[in-house]
Amino acid sequence: MKKSKYFLLLALTLVLSMFLAACNGGGDTGKETDTGGDEGTTEAEQKITALESTAIPSMDSVMAQDTVSFTTMNNVMEGLYRLDPNQEVVEGMAEGEPEVSEDGTVYTFKLRDAKWSNGDPVTAQDFVYAWQRAIDPANASPYGPYMMDGKIKGAAEISAAGAEKKEYDLNTLGVKAIDEKTLEVTLERPIPYFQSLMAFPTFYPQNQKFVEEQGDNYAKTAENLVYNGPFVLSDWGGSTASEWTYTKNEDYWDAETVKLETVQWNVLKDSQASANAFETGEADVTGKLSSDIVPQYEGDERMVNWLEPTIFWLKFNQKENEALKNTDIRKALAQAINKEDFVNSVLNNGSIIANYAVPSEFVKNEETGKDFREINGNELLPYDVDAAKASWEKGLAALGTDTVEVRYLGDDTESAKKVAEYVKNQLETNLPGLTIKVESVPFSVRLDRENSQDYDIQMAGWGPDYLDPMTFSDLWLTGGGNNKMDYSNEKYDQLVKDAQTTLAQKPVERYEALAEAERILLEEDAAIAPMYQRSSNVLVNENVEGFTYHLVGPEYSYKWASVK
């Protein structure tokens, strides 16, 4: 604990003093970060320090809904499958290939011998219990219905019954413990990406006895959890904690693969502080670098970068703000921001503009081999000031006013504040009569306010949960668990549902239906305003091997990492 507090003090001091000696990267700075010095020193231990920009909002796999939480769970817990360093689905709690029915709707999994960190065996019932908790309307899981409805048999009916205040039976969900080590899952229809889906944390098991013993305290701190993954979580005091630790789980079934003994995590919201801490050897892996830091490390082999299939957009909440209920007002807002200038001058990190709702270079049609993006291209809701002003005037006339005020909700990190400043300036400059009130809050608070729809506009991002366009398309279904902005279009809903059902095994027609849904969402309704597809850049100590990032689901895995 003392080291962590010293670390934070040092990092903040470095920011205040603008200690930028290593900003240009390369050269002698690489020697300063070399932890492979004299043998026998603590620098050679299998221990690293990593940084995160926000605290962990939740460690309950049923209630989590954010990347930081899911990534942490991915390292301390495990479902039937997980993703490996090559982005391939590999076995987790599942052992061997599952048996699959002829019609592709019933999967029977055999579970390996594995233990929870309290010594209890991991059983099929643990999966049944967790999935039933996730779909139970009484728990209001933000991801359970989203991940299960239309996929796991019986899920949609349970969700509908809950919404209508009718009785429901959780045992009708298509998941059953045949015996202690045999799990049967029944689907609504064949799902090509099903095993990829099973790697997602919402489908992780939970130890029923332990959860019920903890009651309302379950998952509130590290002590109120049990683990079955490569590491166990320690020194985590809850959703406001600024530090935590992964400690190797000696009882993990594949413990011999795990080389790291500990991963110490600290929260630093300032990107420059993270870079400074990295240069002084106080951190081995940074959080994602902000745009002003990335140019300093161009050509530096310690900077790892990749284009993510993650899109950031402005969400327009149509619940209460009358202006945002107007399609022309939304179109004006969506087309009044210079995205090219934004990605080049504000982000400046390799991100690309997005005039789409399903990312580029994400998935290809299994029949044609073509990228999904080839159907609609990159021209839905492009930057166009003249079109924006025309829509603006039309919208104001319909509202009978010449002024509009909206609240912009964003995170409280330095990079998020810069984004908010740019968006505010662009919108107020290009749309006369508009006033933007920026509200910068901690990440966990933003999530809470999104769930309660306490915002007008917010900058939000979405990364795929599995390898299929549907992970983006079904976000905007009427009443969907991740809609949270009161958007509704019957034609959109029908196209997505067709893709889930009647077109499920017709790849070409299915992609065309989802592309048409995307066109309606953006071109016709301007329900959201896509901004950019994110490129990520992090600094990784050259003596850390096996650093693994993922393009789908949780962001990082430390199971395969080690120190030279």
Side-chain angles (χ1 to χ4, degrees):
M1 292 292 189
K2 292 182 179 179
K3 176 182 178 182
S4 184
K5 291 178 181 178
Y6 168 74
F7 162 83
L8 292 171
L9 177 61
L10 172 61
L12 292 173
T13 301
L14 287 171
V15 173
L16 293 174
S17 65
M18 295 305 289
F19 179 75
L20 303 175
C23 284
N24 292 322
D28 291 340
T29 61
K31 296 178 182 178
E32 294 175 5
T33 61
D34 187 351
T35 60
D38 296 336
E39 293 183 7
T41 68
T42 56
E43 293 178 330
E45 293 180 4
Q46 291 300 312
K47 177 180 181 180
I48 63 175
T49 298
L51 305 179
E52 183 54 84
S53 62
T54 64
I56 305 171
S58 175
M59 280 300 294
D60 184 345
S61 60
V62 166
M63 301 307 298
Q65 60 178 326
D66 67 282
T67 300
V68 178
S69 298
F70 289 142
T71 295
T72 306
M73 290 177 197
N74 179 56
N75 286 281
V76 301
M77 299 176 187
E78 189 166 85
L80 294 170
Y81 297 97
R82 64 167 54 248
L83 295 184
D84 72 3
N86 297 316
Q87 313 300 328
E88 298 290 335
V89 177
V90 295
E91 295 173 3
M93 292 293 99
E95 187 172 37
E97 286 295 317
E99 293 182 11
V100 185
S101 63
E102 287 188 14
D103 65 357
T105 63
V106 181
Y107 282 71
T108 303
F109 299 94
K110 288 295 183 181
L111 305 185
R112 67 177 69 256
D113 288 331
K115 295 180 181 180
W116 292 101
S117 54
N118 65 354
D120 291 347
V122 178
T123 69
Q125 181 58 32
D126 293 332
F127 284 90
V128 174
Y129 174 70
W131 294 18
Q132 289 183 346
R133 279 194 72 220
I135 200 60
D136 190 345
N139 293 325
S141 168
Y143 252 70
Y146 165 68
M147 296 298 282
M148 295 186 189
D149 286 4
K151 303 179 183 73
I152 309 300
K153 190 173 181 61
E157 289 77 7
I158 293 172
S159 295
E164 296 169 5
K165 309 299 182 183
K166 296 180 179 179
E167 292 185 3
Y168 53 87
D169 182 0
L170 293 177
N171 291 316
T172 61
L173 184 67
V175 57
K176 182 188 301 183
I178 303 302
D179 57 42
E180 189 173 86
K181 293 296 181 181
T182 307
L183 180 71
E184 181 184 273
V185 180
T186 304
L187 308 180
E188 289 282 5
R189 55 183 171 78
I191 300 177
Y193 53 87
F194 179 61
Q195 285 172 283
S196 169
L197 188 69
M198 291 298 97
F200 197 79
T202 302
F203 295 101
Y204 285 1
Q206 291 187 344
N207 184 317
Q208 181 173 357
K209 179 182 176 182
F210 182 86
V211 174
E212 293 178 346
E213 285 176 348
Q214 296 297 310
D216 291 341
N217 289 324
Y218 176 67
K220 292 296 177 63
T221 69
E223 286 68 34
N224 303 122
L225 285 159
V226 285
Y227 313 93
N228 70 322
F231 301 91
V232 299
L233 191 62
S234 59
D235 302 323
W236 180 63
S239 61
T240 61
S242 61
E243 57 189 63
W244 57 88
T245 305
Y246 297 169
T247 302
K248 181 176 179 178
N249 182 0
E250 298 295 346
D251 291 326
Y252 177 56
W253 71 270
D254 196 22
E256 64 181 27
T257 296
V258 183
K259 305 304 180 187
L260 291 175
E261 293 295 334
T262 59
V263 182
Q264 171 64 47
W265 287 87
N266 296 281
V267 174
L268 270 186
K269 295 182 179 181
D270 185 89
S271 191
Q272 184 63 66
S274 295
N276 292 340
F278 179 82
E279 291 296 351
T280 59
E282 289 294 311
D284 300 296
V285 181
T286 67
K288 292 177 180 177
L289 302 178
S290 60
S291 59
D292 54 332
I293 307 299
V294 172
Q296 302 170 11
Y297 289 91
E298 287 294 338
D300 192 323
E301 293 183 356
R302 298 174 299 168
M303 185 169 73
V304 179
N305 63 336
W306 64 97
L307 179 66
E308 296 184 50
T310 296
I311 303 180
F312 279 76
W313 41 52
L314 296 178
K315 293 183 70 173
F316 300 138
N317 185 10
Q318 300 178 40
K319 183 177 182 181
E320 296 179 356
N321 191 306
E322 289 301 318
L324 294 179
K325 293 179 181 179
N326 184 284
T327 302
D328 289 307
I329 294 295
R330 297 196 303 272
K331 285 183 178 179
L333 294 168
Q335 295 193 276
I337 301 172
N338 189 331
K339 301 176 191 178
E340 192 72 46
D341 179 61
F342 175 73
V343 299
N344 291 333
S345 64
V346 179
L347 299 181
N348 192 27
N349 61 3
S351 295
I352 61 177
I353 65 170
N355 296 315
Y356 45 72
V358 178
S360 177
E361 299 180 23
F362 170 45
V363 288
K364 294 181 179 180
N365 190 292
E366 61 185 84
E367 190 167 305
T368 65
K370 293 183 178 180
D371 190 302
F372 179 85
R373 279 264 48 83
E374 292 188 35
I375 303 176
N376 282 335
N378 189 16
E379 292 302 323
L380 301 174
L381 283 184
Y383 170 61
D384 187 331
V385 174
D386 291 337
K389 288 183 175 179
S391 295
W392 183 246
E393 293 300 326
K394 186 178 179 181
L396 290 179
L399 292 170
T401 184
D402 58 1
T403 61
V404 169
E405 179 175 308
V406 297
R407 299 174 299 154
Y408 173 101
L409 179 65
D411 293 329
D412 63 350
T413 63
E414 290 305 310
S415 58
K417 290 177 181 178
K418 291 177 183 177
V419 169
E421 181 181 354
Y422 183 88
V423 171
K424 173 182 170 67
N425 178 267
Q426 284 278 291
L427 292 178
E428 291 183 342
T429 299
N430 293 327
L431 303 176
L434 175 64
T435 299
I436 303 291
K437 180 183 178 183
V438 175
E439 299 173 344
S440 300
V441 300
F443 182 51
S444 60
V445 174
R446 180 172 69 79
L447 291 178
D448 288 340
R449 288 184 56 177
E450 177 176 21
N451 287 332
S452 62
Q453 290 189 230
D454 180 15
Y455 73 94
D456 291 332
I457 299 176
Q458 71 161 310
M459 179 69 76
W462 187 265
D465 298 324
Y466 47 87
L467 290 167
D468 191 81
M470 190 60 71
T471 188
F472 289 90
S473 302
D474 66 3
L475 290 173
W476 317 116
L477 291 171
T478 300
N482 286 283
N483 189 316
K484 304 300 182 185
M485 57 184 193
D486 275 27
Y487 171 67
S488 178
N489 183 301
E490 289 184 7
K491 188 175 181 182
Y492 182 92
D493 292 349
Q494 189 60 55
L495 286 164
V496 173
K497 289 176 181 176
D498 286 346
Q500 292 174 327
T501 55
T502 58
L503 302 178
Q505 298 192 55
K506 299 178 180 180
V508 176
E509 293 92 334
R510 182 172 182 270
Y511 267 38
E512 289 174 350
L514 292 176
E516 175 61 10
E518 179 188 50
R519 190 195 65 76
I520 291 171
L521 177 77
L522 302 182
E523 197 168 77
E524 291 189 11
D525 293 344
I528 58 173
M531 290 287 291
Y532 66 97
Q533 185 171 337
R534 182 172 66 184
S535 177
S536 290
N537 303 267
V538 301
L539 297 176
V540 180
N541 188 306
E542 57 196 348
N543 287 317
V544 174
E545 295 185 308
F547 172 74
T548 299
Y549 63 82
H550 298 300
L551 301 178
V552 175
E555 286 194 307
Y556 308 113
S557 290
Y558 282 87
K559 174 177 177 175
W560 296 278
S562 63
V563 180
K564 288 184 184 178

